[in-house]
Amino acid sequence: MPDLDRMGVTEEALAQIARMPDPRQREITAAAIRHLHDFAREVELKPEEWLAGIGFLTAVGQACTPYRQEFILLSDVLGLSRLVNLMHDAEGREAAGTETSLLGPFFREQAPEFAAGESIAVHATGGEPLALFGQVTDAEGQPVAGAGIDIWQTDATGLYDLQANEPEVMDLRGRFRTDAAGRFDMRTVKPIGYSIPMDGPVGRLVRQQNRHGMRPAHIHILVQAPGYRELVTALYLGDDPHIDSDTVFGVSRSLVVTPRRGLPGAPEPDIAAIRYDFRLSRLAEGETGGRVGADPSRILPAAE
Amino acid sequence: MPDLDRMGVTEEALAQIARMPDPRQREITAAAIRHLHDFAREVELKPEEWLAGIGFLTAVGQACTPYRQEFILLSDVLGLSRLVNLMHDAEGREAAGTETSLLGPFFREQAPEFAAGESIAVHATGGEPLALFGQVTDAEGQPVAGAGIDIWQTDATGLYDLQANEPEVMDLRGRFRTDAAGRFDMRTVKPIGYSIPMDGPVGRLVRQQNRHGMRPAHIHILVQAPGYRELVTALYLGDDPHIDSDTVFGVSRSLVVTPRRGLPGAPEPDIAAIRYDFRLSRLAEGETGGRVGADPSRILPAAE
């Protein structure tokens, strides 16, 4: 029996997982144990601090519901989601493909389908009308016909449908399809920037960190077409005051847009419009295209 | 606006917490972010792996109840609890003080009081009778009178009261006091080794790691006396087959004991007995004595 010291306990923990059958799971678990222990040693973590951490993580887990994923939010505000996203992007995206952004906690499967020119603002009132049009192409600029485009966003008060309505109501989200030339034409209202949910443990953490907790106004986009890597991205409105200090580190320069009236090719010249062309990267052989983020209800454990 | 790369996102996350008012919280948060990002970069964490981690942590949080602290259990099986314990110990314990061990998830405040010679096995049936006697002293060997000693353990089937009974029933736990000479005399039954709770997400993890999930038989001890550091420890039965492979890394050589009949000074010569003397370290100036682990109900967030 070893008499463990502060380094020996790490060796012993690694020894106990040395027979994990799956090599990749073993690699991840071993790295997690090493970095967790390194962290605790570096700061000389005290029992009451450890206990506060246990209490915090417990609160995060218990704040999760079928409609709210507080652990994804925690990962977002710590920059981990964006880091995973960046690595995934660098590994698989063709250089000319559209940059990705965070899926976030508000994506929902099975959003209603809309025809070109229809607006996703069905229940929401107020907000400046906005057109979003353009083309989906491959990395060489060839049109991708029949691509599915999910968009979802806040209303003009900064709330998503899940926050503004009963959970069964879907609004300000929808699915469009590109035409034979890869073109799409979607209508919505201008979203506004918003605070991440501040009423839970992650919100309390962000306040304690003296951060504003704001995300700049944006429209989430998910583009899917057979043979292409799923594109999870978002367009950010350049005039938002928090465009340079997004709490979840989602903004990239190439995703910043400014709505304008009278754009060439705009479907309705008298409303503000954004033209954005999405370029899809081809799937690498054997790649299935993992998604950074997901519908919380798919992550939450089934009730016992 | 920076165009973040995989290193830059860490810098940006650290920049956003740079105005945290409390220096110690800032230090811990910054280290947590750095090590978390280092971990993700080292293993090139993939979106689906990230998502599996989110799902796992959510399940751990949701498995917590007022009577079960699954995050402490996770910390235990990863060796983190023991590491925090070892660092705390090294920092404050006088060299001659008794070594500490893990509090574990089954400690409860307000255990019933017992007089010397009484048994804590009130409801439990079966099991070999066992006496535990000895003396509580300071690090120089001077008796500590009136010290409170909490003991708690499994029954002869390897279950704690919280697992074997309705939650309001307390059994195989109790509080004794030392007499004027620092002596104590407690009666119980021989505990047996047991598996950590394997019906939750941490149990599934341990199985996936190809570990046995067993703890060697032990008796938990918590000694408290004014002016002394609270002693959280445990005595381990040396004949247990898992004495060298404790799933939560709690065993130290100095805490291994072997019950024997006819020990000198034993209160009843015809039952097996353990003699163990506990030595308390004096509190350092200003120290309040944090505890590694705690009653889950004190950690769980209040219901909304």
Side-chain angles (χ1 to χ4, degrees), chain B residues 133-157:
Chain B
F133 70 104
Q135 196 183 23
V136 175
T137 70
D138 65 16
E140 283 79 45
Q142 294 303 309
V144 178
I149 310 183
D150 271 272
I151 84 167
W152 66 105
Q153 64 170 62
T154 64
D155 61 19
T157 66

Side-chain angles (χ1 to χ4, degrees), chain A residues 216-236:
Chain A
H218 58 279
I219 300 170
H220 288 281
I221 309 276
L222 187 152
V223 189
Q224 293 172 307
Y228 295 93
R229 181 175 257 240
E230 186 176 270
L231 173 64
V232 176
T233 191
L235 300 177
Y236 293 88

Side-chain angles (χ1 to χ4, degrees), chain A residues 86-144:
Chain A
L86 282 163
M87 293 192 295
H88 179 59
D89 224 24
E91 186 203 332
R93 189 171 59 89
E94 292 177 70
T98 300
E99 276 196 273
T100 69
S101 190
L102 300 173
L103 187 73
F106 295 107
F107 174 71
R108 296 167 79 174
E109 305 275 359
Q110 308 290 340
E113 307 250 350
F114 289 95
E118 288 184 330
S119 172
I120 59 167
V122 176
H123 299 280
T125 55
E128 191 187 333
L130 181 67
L132 173 57
F133 70 103
Q135 197 183 23
V136 175
T137 70
D138 65 15
E140 284 79 46
Q142 294 303 308
V144 178

Side-chain angles (χ1 to χ4, degrees), chain B residues 93-290:
Chain B
R93 190 171 58 90
E94 294 177 70
T98 300
E99 276 197 273
T100 70
S101 190
L102 300 173
L103 188 73
F106 295 108
F107 173 71
R108 295 167 79 174
E109 306 276 358
Q110 310 288 340
E113 307 249 350
F114 289 95
E118 288 183 333
S119 173
I120 59 168
V122 175
H123 300 279
T125 55
E128 191 188 333
L130 181 67
L132 172 58
F133 70 104
Q135 196 183 23
V136 175
T137 70
D138 65 16
E140 283 79 45
Q142 294 303 309
V144 178
I149 310 183
D150 271 272
I151 84 167
W152 66 105
Q153 64 170 62
T154 64
D155 61 19
T157 66
L159 295 176
Y160 287 91
D161 54 359
L162 282 168
Q163 301 170 304
N165 305 289
E166 292 303 302
E168 51 282 4
V169 176
M170 291 215 190
D171 196 25
L172 284 167
R173 66 177 74 235
R175 193 173 172 84
F176 292 81
R177 286 210 172 268
T178 57
D179 67 13
R183 283 183 303 245
F184 61 88
D185 172 17
M186 311 188 280
R187 305 300 161 79
T188 181
V189 294
K190 197 174 166 187
I192 68 162
Y194 61 89
S195 161
I196 59 165
M198 296 296 275
D199 59 338
V202 174
R204 287 193 289 277
L205 177 76
V206 165
R207 264 196 299 274
Q208 189 193 44
Q209 291 173 340
N210 212 1
R211 293 161 70 176
H212 55 57
M214 295 295 289
R215 300 214 61 202
H218 58 280
I219 301 170
H220 288 281
I221 309 274
L222 186 152
V223 189
Q224 293 172 307
Y228 295 93
R229 181 174 256 237
E230 187 176 85
L231 172 64
V232 176
T233 192
L235 300 177
Y236 293 87
L237 301 188
D239 58 357
D240 189 286
H242 301 107
I243 193 72
D244 287 323
S245 59
D246 183 1
T247 293
V248 302
F249 313 101
V251 181
S252 290
R253 212 180 298 261
S254 69
L255 299 174
V256 177
V257 295
T258 304
R260 283 202 185 81
R261 280 166 214 266
L263 278 181
E268 286 188 56
D270 53 338
I271 66 170
I274 296 164
R275 173 172 182 138
Y276 204 90
D277 296 334
F278 298 100
R279 288 176 172 244
L280 303 182
S281 299
R282 241 173 281 274
L283 274 182
E285 189 147 328
E287 186 188 11
T288 55

